[in-house]
Amino acid sequence: MTDATISRPLEVAKMSATPLKLTVPGIKYWVAMSQPETHLFEVTLQIQDWQKTVLDLKMPVWTPGSYLVREYAKNLQDFRVYSAENEPLSWHKISKNHWQVETPNVSEVTVKYRIFANELTVRTNHLDASHGYFNGAAIFFYLPEFQYNPYTVTIIPPKPNWQITTTLPAIPEEPNTFLAADFDTLVDSPFEIGSHQLYDFEVRGKSHTLAIWSKGNLDPGRMIRDMQKIIEVEAELFGDLPYNHYLFLLHLSNSGFGGLEHKLSCSLNYPRFGFRLKEKYDRFMQLVAHEFFHLWNVKRIRPKGLEVFNYDGENYTPSLWFSEGTTSYYDLVIPFRAKIYDIKGFFQSLAKEITRFMTTPGRNVQPLNESSWDAWIKLYRRDANSDNNQISYYLKGEMVSLLLDLLIRARHKNTRSLDDVMRTMWEKFGQSTWVDGRQNEIGFTPEQLQGVIESVAGIDLSDFFERYLNTTEELPFDQYLEPFGLKLAGDDPTGSPQIGFTAGLEHGREMIKFVTADGPAQLAGIDAGDELLAIDGFRVSAEHLSDRLKDYKIGDAIAVTVFHQDELRTCQVTLAAPRPSRYQIVTLEQPTSTQKQNFAGWLGVPLSKFVT
Ligand SMILES: [Zn+2]
C-alpha cells in the first residue's frame, strides 16, 4: 500500500548487505552493561573521519509519542572524550543537554559516558540483573548536523544467554551490530536485551514477534490469537500492513501501565497479574489495539507540528485530539470488531469513558485544541487541581471522534464512517518520500484534517469544529446518539448530597484527594492534601463518607474538621444537590425502524440485543 514506507526497511537491509560504507562521518555506538545491578549502561560513541574543529553532542530532551520534556541528560554521568591516540580532548557544556568538544586536527573522536537506567516505563531506560531496555532518545547523543546520517549500534551483553531484540536490521558479519538509517530511526527502535521470551506469529503473510520480559498470569497462546484478530481488523480498516516485520515488546511489572508507539514496534507495560480478570484482559487488548493503530495514526499520518522532531525542545500541535483521541476511540471499537468483547463490553467501556469525561470539571475550562497544544505543561504535569482546569485530549478527542463517527454514519446511512476518514488520511498523508537520502513525512495541518473529515461527511463542519475544538461548549451526546435509537443517561448511585471532594486512605491517613472547583468544600476553604478527620465532631473515613452524608439534606451546613498543613480547622460546608457520577448509553423507549437500522448498520447487531 505504501511503497515509501515499505521500501524503507528494504533500503536499510540493502545498505547493510554490502560492505558498510558510511557517509562521512561514521557514527558508531557501543552499549555495554557489565554490571547490570548498578543500573548503568556504559556507552561508547566513536566518530570517524571527523573534519571539524568542534564537535557538538546533544542529548534529546524528550522522545516522540510522550509529550513531556523529560531531560534525559539528567541520567548521564562520567562523560569523557579522547582522540584516536587516546589523548583526552577538552570539552565544555553549552547547555543542559549540549556538550561541545574541541577537535582541531582530530579525525577520530571517542566519547565514553554512563547512563543511569532504573526507571521502568515505556519511554525511559531500565537495566537490572534480569534485562536491559533502552529508548534511543534516552541514551544516545545526536550530532546536530548529522541527524540524518546512519548510526550503528553494537550491543555487548553481560551474559552469553542474553539475547538482543530490536527492529533495527542486523549488520551481517558484525556480531550484535545494528544499523539505523538516521537518528529518528534509532530513537524509534527500542532495544530489549536479556532472557525474555520470544513468540513469532504471522498475519497476512507478515511476521510478528511478541517479546515478553518477566513473569505474570498470562496465556501467550490466547494473547497471540487475540493480537492476530486485532491486527487483522486494523489491516482491513487501512487496507494493508505497511511493514515486513512488527514487534510487540511487553514488560510485565507490579503495577505499571503504558504503551509507546513506534513505526515497526510498540513497547507495552502492564501489571503482571492483570490478565485473569476479563475486564483487565480486555483493557490490555485495548492497549494493544491502541499502540498498533498508532503505526498508522501518528507514526505515519503525522500532524504538521510533528513532521520533523525537535529533540531540543517541544513540538507543538493542536491535532493530538486526532492522533491520540481518535486512536483512543478506535481502541474501544477494534477489540469489539475483533470479537474480543461483545456489544455489552463495548458499551460498558464507552460508558466508563463518558463518565470520566462528564465528571471532569476541566472540560468546561480548557478547549480541546488548547489541551493538545499545552500537553507539555498540563496533561503530563498533573497536580491535585488538574481535573478542575484541564481536559485530556485523549478523552475529549475520543468523545469528539465518537460524535464525528455517528454524524457521518447517520448522514450516509452507514455507507460512510470515520473509517473512511482514516483511510483518506492514510492515502493523503501516510506516504512519505525519500529526499536527499532522508525520509520526509508529509504532515497534515488542522485545516487539512478538517477538510478530509468534511469531504467524508459531505458537509461543512466549521461550526462543529469551532464549538467542540475551540470552545468548551458541552458536547451534545443526545443529538448524535438519537439517530441510532440511543441517549445518554446520568445518575448518582450514592444518593447523597454533594460535599465537593473525594477522599482516600494514604499511609494510614484519610486524605482529601480532589476538591471540585467552586464546589461546597472549596468554597468552605478545604483543599486537596488536607487530612479528613470528622464531620459534625465525629470521626469519618473515606469509605463511609457517602453513607454519612445520607443523614443530611441538600442545603444543610455541616462542620468538616481537617488538618490543613498540620493546623486543625473546622469548616462549615453547605451541602449541594448531587451531580451525576455515572453515565450510561441507553436505548430510547420506542425506537423507530430507521433508528434500528442505523444501530444495526453501525454495530452489526440489532438494537434489541443491546438492552440497558
Ligand atoms: Zn496513544
Side-chain angles (χ1 to χ4, degrees), residues 383-385 501-506 511-515 527-530:
D383 57 35
N385 192 48
F501 66 74
T502 60
L505 207 56
E506 212 175 85
M511 301 302 290
I512 292 177
K513 304 265 192 190
F514 175 67
V515 177
D527 277 330
D530 289 354

Side-chain angles (χ1 to χ4, degrees), residues 231-496:
I231 295 167
E232 182 57 52
V233 168
E234 297 195 19
E236 200 178 311
L237 198 163
F238 286 100
D240 203 354
L241 295 172
Y243 53 75
N244 293 323
H245 180 80
Y246 187 91
L247 167 69
F248 294 91
L249 184 48
L250 172 59
H251 289 154
L252 302 174
S253 61
N254 53 345
S255 61
F257 176 89
L260 188 64
E261 65 276 8
H262 302 288
K263 275 189 173 170
L264 300 176
S265 69
C266 63
S267 295
L268 307 164
N269 187 341
Y270 207 72
R272 66 177 80 251
F273 297 119
F275 299 93
R276 193 186 311 282
L277 287 178
K278 169 82 176 137
E279 199 185 311
K280 288 189 175 171
Y281 180 78
D282 289 350
R283 183 68 199 95
F284 174 74
M285 295 317 296
Q286 289 173 343
L287 180 66
V288 169
H290 182 103
E291 303 308 333
F292 192 73
F293 198 83
H294 271 317
L295 83 86
W296 290 275
N297 195 24
V298 96
K299 289 315 301 184
R300 292 176 173 86
I301 307 169
R302 280 197 207 172
K304 193 87 185 162
L306 293 173
E307 197 178 71
V308 177
F309 296 127
N310 171 18
Y311 294 107
D312 231 2
E314 296 83 350
N315 278 70
Y316 292 100
T317 170
S319 300
L320 291 176
W321 75 267
F322 178 73
S323 301
E324 287 298 352
T326 304
T327 301
S328 297
Y329 173 59
Y330 274 101
D331 80 36
L332 304 185
V333 171
I334 300 283
F336 168 66
R337 287 189 193 166
K339 296 190 169 51
I340 288 163
Y341 42 72
D342 62 9
I343 186 91
K344 282 192 179 158
F346 171 67
F347 276 103
Q348 271 164 10
S349 290
L350 199 53
K352 240 198 228 164
E353 297 293 89
I354 296 176
T355 296
R356 217 153 55 82
F357 175 70
M358 292 300 289
T359 54
T360 303
R363 76 186 189 286
N364 299 316
V365 176
Q366 187 186 43
L368 187 49
N369 279 336
E370 193 182 299
S371 168
S372 168
W373 194 268
D374 284 342
W376 303 90
I377 52 165
K378 298 248 170 139
L379 186 86
Y380 281 97
R381 287 199 176 150
R382 288 180 59 81
D383 57 35
N385 192 48
S386 291
D387 280 343
N388 281 328
N389 68 8
Q390 60 170 289
I391 188 71
S392 154
Y393 49 82
Y394 283 80
L395 189 54
K396 188 168 179 182
E398 184 180 348
M399 300 295 118
V400 165
S401 301
L402 166 69
L403 297 195
L404 285 170
D405 196 17
L406 295 177
L407 178 152
I408 296 167
R409 287 175 178 278
R411 276 187 60 82
H412 297 278
K413 299 196 183 332
N414 283 301
T415 59
R416 292 185 193 177
S417 72
L418 200 60
D419 292 3
D420 297 288
V421 171
M422 295 317 304
R423 279 189 282 269
T424 311
M425 290 299 287
W426 175 232
E427 281 157 22
K428 285 184 102 127
F429 303 102
Q431 321 285 336
S432 48
T433 51
W434 284 84
V435 179
D436 297 335
R438 64 171 281 215
Q439 193 177 25
N440 273 14
E441 310 290 344
I442 312 164
F444 64 84
T445 64
E447 295 75 24
Q448 286 171 318
L449 172 60
Q450 186 178 329
V452 166
I453 298 172
E454 286 176 336
S455 72
V456 172
I459 44 161
D460 175 73
L461 289 170
S462 317
D463 186 54
F464 182 100
F465 275 76
E466 180 55 27
R467 285 168 190 249
Y468 309 129
L469 277 80
N470 286 334
T471 79
T472 56
E473 189 171 321
E474 198 77 277
L475 297 182
F477 286 98
D478 284 350
Q479 183 190 327
Y480 291 88
L481 288 167
E482 192 268 345
F484 298 83
L486 302 169
K487 66 174 182 182
L488 193 62
D491 66 352
D492 178 26
T494 69
S496 324

Side-chain angles (χ1 to χ4, degrees), residues 543-602:
E543 193 189 346
H544 298 115
L545 177 65
S546 142
D547 197 46
R548 284 282 298 279
L549 291 173
K550 283 183 186 146
D551 292 333
Y552 298 93
K553 300 187 303 297
I554 298 163
D556 282 354
I558 62 171
V560 179
T561 307
V562 297
F563 268 126
H564 178 82
Q565 298 193 356
D566 288 349
E567 181 192 341
L568 194 67
R569 271 189 192 177
T570 296
C571 306
Q572 295 299 315
V573 178
T574 306
L575 299 175
R579 284 191 199 167
S581 60
R582 184 181 65 181
Y583 286 82
Q584 289 181 81
I585 292 175
V586 297
T587 49
L588 296 177
E589 269 167 34
Q590 301 240 294
T592 64
S593 58
T594 308
Q595 286 168 330
K596 287 179 188 170
Q597 267 172 22
N598 284 344
F599 184 93
W602 174 26

Side-chain angles (χ1 to χ4, degrees), residues 90-285:
S90 56
W91 58 273
H92 64 284
K93 280 190 80 169
I94 303 282
S95 70
K96 62 185 180 180
N97 66 322
H98 184 177
W99 281 251
Q100 195 171 69
V101 184
E102 310 290 335
T103 54
N105 309 315
V106 173
S107 63
E108 188 180 299
V109 185
T110 300
V111 182
K112 287 179 180 285
Y113 57 95
R114 299 201 290 174
I115 294 281
F116 185 71
N118 195 22
E119 199 180 346
L120 183 61
T121 77
V122 291
R123 43 186 132 66
T124 48
N125 304 328
H126 190 247
L127 173 64
D128 68 9
S130 70
H131 83 143
Y133 167 75
F134 65 78
N135 280 287
I139 194 169
F140 296 129
F141 282 118
Y142 66 95
L143 280 61
E145 289 165 68
F146 302 99
Q147 219 167 309
Y148 301 104
N149 284 39
Y151 288 64
T152 72
V153 181
T154 302
I155 304 293
I156 305 161
K159 296 171 193 170
N161 65 338
W162 279 29
Q163 56 192 336
I164 303 162
T165 300
T166 181
T167 52
L168 289 179
I171 300 178
E173 285 152 34
E174 290 192 39
N176 299 341
T177 302
F178 304 86
L179 177 68
D182 51 31
F183 193 73
D184 284 344
T185 308
L186 185 59
V187 164
D188 200 42
S189 312
F191 277 73
E192 176 69 25
I193 305 137
S195 50
H196 46 280
Q197 301 294 312
L198 290 174
Y199 304 88
D200 293 324
F201 59 96
E202 277 199 6
V203 181
R204 292 194 173 204
K206 300 285 177 78
S207 65
H208 300 73
T209 301
L210 167 62
I212 304 176
W213 169 73
S214 198
K215 302 245 177 328
N217 64 351
L218 59 85
D219 168 359
R222 176 191 178 199
M223 183 179 283
I224 288 167
R225 282 191 297 280
D226 285 339
M227 281 176 157
Q228 285 172 313
K229 291 181 203 163
I230 281 174
I231 295 167
E232 182 57 52
V233 168
E234 297 195 19
E236 200 178 311
L237 198 163
F238 286 100
D240 203 354
L241 295 172
Y243 53 75
N244 293 323
H245 180 80
Y246 187 91
L247 167 69
F248 294 91
L249 184 48
L250 172 59
H251 289 154
L252 302 174
S253 61
N254 53 345
S255 61
F257 176 89
L260 188 64
E261 65 276 8
H262 302 288
K263 275 189 173 170
L264 300 176
S265 69
C266 63
S267 295
L268 307 164
N269 187 341
Y270 207 72
R272 66 177 80 251
F273 297 119
F275 299 93
R276 193 186 311 282
L277 287 178
K278 169 82 176 137
E279 199 185 311
K280 288 189 175 171
Y281 180 78
D282 289 350
R283 183 68 199 95
F284 174 74
M285 295 317 296

